[in-house]
Amino acid sequence: MTQLTGSCTCGAVTFQTGRPLMRAYCHCAICKAYHDRDFADFTVFATGRFRQTGGGPVTYKVFKQPPLLRRGTCDRCAAPILEKLFIPGLPRMMLIPTRWLSTPEAAPAPSLHMFYDLRRQDHADGLPKANGYLPSQLLFARHLLPALLGRSAAHP
Ligand SMILES: [Zn+2]
Ligand SMILES: [Zn+2]
């Protein structure tokens, strides 16, 4: 069982993860604002073994309806730290900005770019790229579901 740990900038929020499911890049406007970065680099974890180990308060906000994603920031340092993903019919998941992992090099390799049409720079990395809402969600699901169901890789 791969377990990773991490924390926000101030250290008030610490966590221990379960198995990483996948990692992705998102270029959407909400991610850019929430992460305060040119794009989001996040890793998805199943919540079964996920534990917030440091009791720092986290405030969750929903930026888009329906409320599939609740984006949490540390009350003390305002770091975007924990994002709760709930897709009806699937196990609950947690998204963590990859940079908050104590060993980011232990995260899976990124699988894809979402909302690539909103990018600030080109990324010539050979990864699959999707533009717009529905194609981005479908590309994400195509990589997430096999990981969630314990299969090795997504093949289009
Ligand atoms: Zn903090
Ligand atoms: Zn996004």
Side-chain angles (χ1 to χ4, degrees), residues 39-97:
F39 59 93
D41 172 350
F42 61 91
T43 302
V44 185
F45 297 90
T47 49
R49 289 180 169 241
F50 190 94
R51 280 193 299 134
Q52 190 183 332
T53 46
V58 176
T59 299
Y60 289 92
K61 281 190 194 151
V62 172
F63 288 80
K64 192 178 196 311
Q65 296 296 335
L68 301 178
L69 195 55
R70 295 177 191 278
R71 297 178 186 254
T73 50
C74 171
D75 282 1
R76 295 195 194 151
C77 68
I81 183 71
L82 305 173
E83 299 180 83
K84 293 178 177 174
L85 177 63
F86 174 65
I87 301 172
L90 295 182
R92 286 168 192 270
M93 287 165 272
M94 189 72 87
L95 276 53
I96 305 284

